[in-house]
Amino acid sequence: VGSDGLFDNLYEEQIREVMMPFIKTSSVLLDPEIVAEMIAKQAERLSLNRHWMSPFAKHAYDNFYDFKGGKHDDVTVVVSQIQIKETE
């Protein structure tokens, strides 16, 4: 989950790309805390890029507004993992 500062600056595919190196198996994510930090840092970096066609900028363009670049905002990211205990 994340705040609008995340989704205004990163597309879902980019979030998956940041996560991929941390996926050990199809059901295990290595260190969710570091993954959250890396996703947040990428969103913050792109929020400062005036040439980035961010999701926010694309939405503005699609609605006939002139907005370019990332949208600087606070970024909150929470990555959690639920594991189901196997029964014998």
Side-chain angles (χ1 to χ4, degrees), residues 4-87:
D4 62 332
L6 169 64
F7 296 106
D8 283 346
N9 291 294
L10 281 181
Y11 293 95
E12 288 181 23
E13 179 61 30
Q14 292 173 297
I15 295 169
R16 281 191 290 274
E17 287 173 10
V18 172
M19 291 179 64
M20 288 309 295
F22 294 93
I23 297 176
K24 182 177 176 183
T25 66
S26 63
S27 61
V28 177
L29 179 63
L30 300 173
D31 206 336
E33 186 176 343
I34 289 177
V35 174
E37 287 179 32
M38 292 186 68
I39 292 169
K41 286 181 183 181
Q42 179 69 354
E44 182 181 19
R45 233 185 331 268
L46 290 172
S47 77
L48 301 172
N49 183 338
R50 290 194 256 167
H51 304 289
W52 167 236
M53 180 53 90
S54 65
F56 183 86
K58 183 178 181 327
H59 184 71
Y61 176 82
D62 290 346
N63 289 280
F64 308 103
Y65 289 98
D66 185 23
F67 184 91
K68 294 178 183 160
K71 182 175 180 277
H72 188 64
D73 196 354
D74 61 319
V75 177
T76 301
V77 179
V78 177
V79 175
S80 63
Q81 178 170 263
I82 298 171
Q83 292 180 323
I84 299 173
K85 185 176 180 180
E86 294 183 24
T87 58

